[in-house]
Amino acid sequence: MAWAHEVGVRIIPQAGNTGLVGGQVPLHGDEVILSISRLTGKRAVDVRAGNMVLNAGTTLEEAHTIADEAGMLFPLYIASQGSARIGGVLGSNAGGVQVLAYGNARELCLGVEAVMADGTLYQGLNALKKDNTGYDLKDLFVGSEGTLGIITAATLKLFPKPAAHETALLNVASPDDALTLFSTLRARAGTTLTAFEIMPRIGFDFQLKHGMLSQDPSADISPWYVLAELSVPQGVAEGGLAAALEAAFETGLVTNGVIAESLAQREMLWLAREQMSEVQSREGASIKHDVSVPVAAVPELIARGMEAALKVAPGIRPVPFGHLGDGNIHFNFSQPEGADPKVFMAGAYAVHDAIYEIVLALGGSVSAEHGIGQLKTALLAKVKDPVALAMMRSIKSALDPKGILNPGKVLG
Amino acid sequence: MAWAHEVGVRIIPQAGNTGLVGGQVPLHGDEVILSISRLTGKRAVDVRAGNMVLNAGTTLEEAHTIADEAGMLFPLYIASQGSARIGGVLGSNAGGVQVLAYGNARELCLGVEAVMADGTLYQGLNALKKDNTGYDLKDLFVGSEGTLGIITAATLKLFPKPAAHETALLNVASPDDALTLFSTLRARAGTTLTAFEIMPRIGFDFQLKHGMLSQDPSADISPWYVLAELSVPQGVAEGGLAAALEAAFETGLVTNGVIAESLAQREMLWLAREQMSEVQSREGASIKHDVSVPVAAVPELIARGMEAALKVAPGIRPVPFGHLGDGNIHFNFSQPEGADPKVFMAGAYAVHDAIYEIVLALGGSVSAEHGIGQLKTALLAKVKDPVALAMMRSIKSALDPKGILNPGKVLG
């Protein structure tokens, strides 16, 4: 980086190359890609303190293994974890299915080591939970998508492994009922509620049709489902989920459901959730959004979004699913059955516009998890608070005055 | 601020004026103090979403009441909460006794509204848990001690109220045994362990001597004590603390203890903890430090710190206590009995130097909770990573080029 800074060569930091918004791939064509994939290995694991220090090229899956071997838990789960590396997970502030209880990448990171644009080394592998000696620089690096520095190592939080999981797939009539159920479960289970996902029936139908599930994971047909999971700490009696759901069953808030009775069944329920996006490619062309709104606005987002999309693209098949407990919905659509994919995709922008308009009207975010990269720079400039944009440009200029780190990404 | 920016008047933002490092009081003598104390009141409380939006002049105690009235919990507790205001709590990234489970002010804050040095308004009252649209500006404002912007409102996390607390004051032989106990309890109780504080016997003796406690809170005399508390979610059976402590009693890790059997007893145990620093003023002069080290290094910090202080100030009486679970010890000392306070305080720097040297050698922080203000600017310049300092100065210049916001604070 010191050399690149001196001669003015533009650098694109790249980790596992699994990013979904083009942040890690060339934009101009004259950039040098700097891969961190060889920076593998762990530097330290401290069970007592509840943290580990890993080099940034470590894959997320390896990170899980390192934690597990120490008898601990690193609770960040995304589909690409076999390839995604810690440097990219942090650079993009990845989320995943357990953000509800454990937080996102930023919240799971205690400190970073990073190489600055001018080649100096920022040494902030700080395992301290409490340190008020100046500005919070760690949280600037995380989620900066390689534009402020190259993360080379990180200190990550470890948690006690739960003694058990209680997992249920529950039938609900609507997203609104799902939201009511969420409030109830959260009040009852507190921080032991570690996942709360919503899914539409069509997602299971797709997976069954294409042989991606050996059997229907649900108790019976329902327009919507909730996958809820409690992580039971050691020393706490199991049965909390069933107890918490009793009233919901009695009042009809939940119309039916299954509680996993084995590890295999739990894995099957999660597989049905994890394959929701992937299965769409087997049903033709698709249009996808990664958005968030305040949790209470999720039912309205889904209702208005489906209505607006059907208006601009009659016959479009909505497949909205995701982290209801975080307000983050992967608002996806599949093409109408039998339609010409090219014709369908020609109308994609109208669907994007319709969805983003609703998201913004509800005070939401046009990129909940995936970041800006190069694909959403124009969108960001259009929708972001101008004072925030001005601050970000000032900070970028201050930390990379020559503009050599991942130029054109995020801020365009 | 727009006016001040135009004419170049220096502004000191002030909240509850309870800061302990002089960040909110004049340094040069020509600054105008801008108080936010009239920006009171709540803007919104959203129980479903688990957050509330408060104006920055709201006191922390009022914030607790607002949460409580909504049936929720805002779990940030510091001794000054009757006077401290949200703007200052966030500006200083306050910690407190429940950081262990709930996090510090930064982690409890979802978004802020802030006035920039040039008078523009940053609108980031973002209740979204997941939003990857650019850099993390919120976490820059929090803990910036009024040098990057003036926080005028904030969105704060709310949590379900626990159904019950299980609180115990436990006798342990040493900080090392306390640390072992912490690991055990944390593994057993997970996120339900919401407080783990260590205290020396001398602190109780002081309080009893000066009539600040009606009775000895402990089971019997022990060199050290741990105050441990579980917050039991609804639907979970009580008794988890007693169960988790069984083995500790059997092995002698805990030599005796009391588990609170009433709300009054719980309050009494906490009072004994909360009065630890205050009581020192009744025993003459005192020297205080707010430091943190990696959790596993706390016993070494205490042992080496006591030894080093006694060497430079024979007869000094150590009163170290604090958030063992966070690695944050208020490493306080009282003057020798009968000594001349002036003579004792003349030797304060030698004690400071000795303690900070050990803290830094252990990879710790010289200001865990209280911040830098004006009192610790020289110390910060001496001990902080120079690359980090350079980044902070660049960011400060970028966001306040005229240097009118709280000049001289933090970065000197």
Side-chain angles (χ1 to χ4, degrees):
Chain A
M1 282 312 301
W3 166 83
H5 188 256
E6 194 187 315
V7 302
V9 167
R10 306 206 269 198
I11 298 289
I12 297 177
Q14 193 181 86
N17 197 11
T18 57
L20 295 167
V21 286
Q24 76 282 12
V25 297
L27 177 64
H28 303 103
D30 64 352
E31 308 98 319
V32 173
I33 295 176
L34 177 51
S35 169
I36 60 157
S37 60
R38 282 200 216 152
L39 289 179
T40 53
K42 66 185 180 194
R43 293 194 189 183
V45 180
D46 189 337
V47 171
R48 257 186 159 181
N51 66 63
M52 60 182 179
V53 184
L54 304 181
N55 286 322
T58 308
T59 67
L60 182 50
E61 209 162 72
E62 279 159 8
H64 291 153
T65 302
I66 290 166
D68 195 64
E69 281 170 353
M72 303 287 280
L73 180 73
F74 178 58
L76 199 162
Y77 298 92
I78 52 178
S80 56
Q81 54 201 37
S83 308
R85 294 163 191 271
I86 292 298
V89 166
L90 294 177
S92 63
N93 186 29
V97 293
Q98 293 210 348
V99 172
L100 181 62
Y102 294 107
N104 54 23
R106 184 174 286 128
E107 292 163 294
L108 291 173
C109 176
L110 286 165
V112 300
E113 176 193 270
V115 176
M116 308 303 295
D118 63 4
T120 52
L121 186 67
Y122 168 74
Q123 291 174 290
L125 284 171
N126 190 332
L128 303 173
K129 204 167 180 191
K130 297 173 87 170
D131 182 9
N132 281 340
T133 54
Y135 304 150
D136 181 2
L137 302 175
K138 179 262 292 179
D139 287 318
L140 250 194
F141 284 116
V142 178
S144 62
E145 304 188 40
T147 62
L148 298 181
I150 304 179
I151 294 169
T152 49
T155 307
L156 305 168
K157 287 186 187 172
L158 291 174
F159 289 79
K161 278 199 315 201
H165 294 106
E166 293 179 41
T167 313
L169 185 65
L170 305 161
N171 298 20
V172 291
S174 64
D176 206 64
D177 282 358
L179 180 60
T180 303
L181 179 62
F182 171 66
S183 298
T184 310
L185 276 187
R186 188 165 183 263
R188 290 289 304 260
T191 52
T192 63
L193 179 66
T194 49
F196 195 95
E197 303 282 305
I198 189 171
M199 289 159 286
R201 177 67 211 175
I202 193 174
F204 292 164
D205 290 337
F206 281 0
Q207 294 180 54
L208 289 163
K209 173 179 172 186
H210 296 286
M212 289 171 74
L213 287 171
S214 51
Q215 65 188 82
D216 191 325
S218 69
D220 65 55
I221 310 291
S222 173
W224 297 92
Y225 297 89
V226 162
L227 179 61
E229 185 165 270
L230 260 59
S231 294
V232 186
Q234 289 183 49
V236 172
E238 289 187 50
L241 183 56
L245 290 171
E246 263 185 54
F249 274 109
E250 273 164 33
T251 58
L253 182 64
V254 172
T255 56
N256 208 337
V258 296
I259 293 185
E261 286 171 7
S262 67
L263 193 54
Q265 191 179 9
R266 175 182 178 249
E267 282 174 4
M268 195 257 300
L269 297 179
W270 273 107
L271 186 68
R273 162 62 184 85
E274 281 153 15
Q275 295 180 142
M276 278 282 154
S277 181
E278 190 193 328
V279 68
Q280 284 186 271
S281 58
R282 313 208 188 182
E283 280 287 316
S286 61
I287 295 169
K288 300 183 176 181
H289 310 86
D290 163 46
V291 296
S292 67
V293 292
V295 174
V298 167
E300 190 177 350
L301 167 70
I302 292 177
R304 288 173 62 178
M306 284 169 64
E307 183 186 347
L310 282 158
K311 199 178 256 182
V312 300
I316 198 172
R317 290 177 293 170
V319 192
F321 64 91
H323 323 287
L324 178 56
D326 304 329
N328 174 200
I329 298 299
H330 295 287
F331 211 147
N332 293 358
F333 297 87
S334 277
Q335 66 164 74
E337 282 197 81
D340 180 330
K342 285 204 191 74
V343 171
F344 173 70
M345 289 310 292
Y349 279 107
V351 178
H352 287 319
D353 284 353
I355 295 299
Y356 290 140
E357 191 184 321
I358 295 164
V359 167
L360 293 166
L362 293 172
S365 165
V366 298
S367 190
E369 288 185 316
H370 299 160
I372 302 300
Q374 54 177 289
L375 292 189
K376 292 187 178 177
T377 50
L379 182 61
L380 184 72
K382 203 170 95 172
V383 309
K384 192 76 176 178
D385 167 36
V387 176
L389 279 172
M391 277 183 73
M392 291 191 241
R393 294 188 205 287
S394 295
I395 291 167
K396 169 65 171 175
S397 294
L399 301 184
D400 179 20
K402 284 193 164 189
I404 63 168
L405 266 180
N406 222 6
K409 308 290 172 55
V410 185
L411 295 170
Chain B
M1 282 312 300
W3 166 82
H5 188 257
E6 195 188 315
V7 302
V9 167
R10 306 206 267 199
I11 299 289
I12 297 178
Q14 193 180 86
N17 197 10
T18 56
L20 295 168
V21 286
Q24 76 282 12
V25 297
L27 177 63
H28 303 105
D30 64 351
E31 307 98 319
V32 172
I33 295 177
L34 178 50
S35 170
I36 60 157
S37 60
R38 282 199 216 152
L39 289 180
T40 53
K42 67 185 180 196
R43 294 193 189 184
V45 180
D46 189 335
V47 170
R48 259 184 160 185
N51 66 63
M52 60 182 178
V53 184
L54 305 181
N55 287 324
T58 308
T59 67
L60 182 51
E61 210 162 71
E62 280 160 6
H64 290 153
T65 302
I66 290 166
D68 195 64
E69 282 170 352
M72 304 287 279
L73 181 73
F74 178 59
L76 200 162
Y77 298 92
I78 53 178
S80 56
Q81 55 202 36
S83 308
R85 294 164 190 271
I86 291 299
V89 167
L90 294 177
S92 63
N93 185 30
V97 293
Q98 294 210 346
V99 171
L100 181 62
Y102 294 108
N104 54 23
R106 184 173 284 130
E107 293 161 295
L108 291 173
C109 176
L110 286 166
V112 299
E113 176 192 271
V115 177
M116 308 302 295
D118 63 4
T120 51
L121 186 67
Y122 167 75
Q123 291 174 290
L125 284 171
N126 190 333
L128 303 173
K129 203 164 180 195
K130 296 172 87 172
D131 182 10
N132 279 340
T133 54
Y135 304 150
D136 181 2
L137 303 174
K138 179 262 291 181
D139 287 317
L140 250 194
F141 284 117
V142 178
S144 63
E145 304 188 41
T147 63
L148 299 180
I150 304 178
I151 295 169
T152 48
T155 307
L156 306 168
K157 287 186 187 172
L158 290 174
F159 290 78
K161 278 201 313 201
H165 294 103
E166 292 177 42
T167 313
L169 185 65
L170 305 161
N171 299 18
V172 292
S174 63
D176 206 65
D177 282 357
L179 180 59
T180 303
L181 179 63
F182 171 66
S183 298
T184 309
L185 276 186
R186 189 166 184 262
R188 290 290 303 261
T191 52
T192 63
L193 179 66
T194 50
F196 194 96
E197 303 281 305
I198 188 171
M199 287 160 287
R201 176 69 211 174
I202 193 174
F204 292 164
D205 291 337
F206 281 0
Q207 294 180 54
L208 289 163
K209 173 180 173 188
H210 296 286
M212 289 170 73
L213 288 171
S214 52
Q215 64 189 80
D216 191 326
S218 69
D220 64 55
I221 310 290
S222 172
W224 297 90
Y225 297 89
V226 162
L227 178 61
E229 186 164 89
L230 259 60
S231 293
V232 186
Q234 289 183 48
V236 172
E238 288 187 51
L241 183 55
L245 290 171
E246 262 185 54
F249 274 109
E250 273 164 34
T251 57
L253 181 65
V254 172
T255 56
N256 207 337
V258 295
I259 293 184
E261 287 172 7
S262 67
L263 192 54
Q265 191 180 9
R266 175 183 177 248
E267 281 173 5
M268 196 256 302
L269 296 179
W270 273 107
L271 187 68
R273 163 61 184 86
E274 282 153 16
Q275 295 181 140
M276 278 281 154
S277 180
E278 190 192 327
V279 69
Q280 284 186 271
S281 58
R282 312 204 189 187
E283 279 289 314
S286 61
I287 294 169
K288 300 184 176 182
H289 309 86
D290 164 44
V291 295
S292 67
V293 292
V295 174
V298 166
E300 190 177 350
L301 166 71
I302 292 177
R304 287 172 63 179
M306 284 169 63
E307 184 187 348
L310 283 158
K311 200 179 255 183
V312 300
I316 198 172
R317 289 178 293 168
V319 193
F321 64 92
H323 323 288
L324 177 57
D326 304 330
N328 174 201
I329 297 298
H330 295 287
F331 211 148
N332 294 0
F333 297 87
S334 278
Q335 64 165 74
E337 284 198 80
D340 180 329
K342 285 205 190 72
V343 171
F344 173 71
M345 289 310 292
Y349 279 107
V351 178
H352 287 319
D353 284 352
I355 295 300
Y356 289 140
E357 190 184 320
I358 295 164
V359 168
L360 293 167
L362 293 172
S365 166
V366 298
S367 190
E369 287 185 315
H370 300 160
I372 301 300
Q374 54 178 288
L375 292 189
K376 292 186 177 178
T377 50
L379 183 61
L380 185 72
K382 204 171 94 173
V383 308
K384 192 76 176 178
D385 166 36
V387 176
L389 279 172
M391 277 182 73
M392 291 191 242
R393 294 189 206 289
S394 294
I395 291 166
K396 169 66 173 174
S397 292
L399 300 185
D400 180 18
K402 285 195 166 187
I404 63 167
L405 266 181
N406 222 6
K409 309 290 173 56
V410 185
L411 295 170

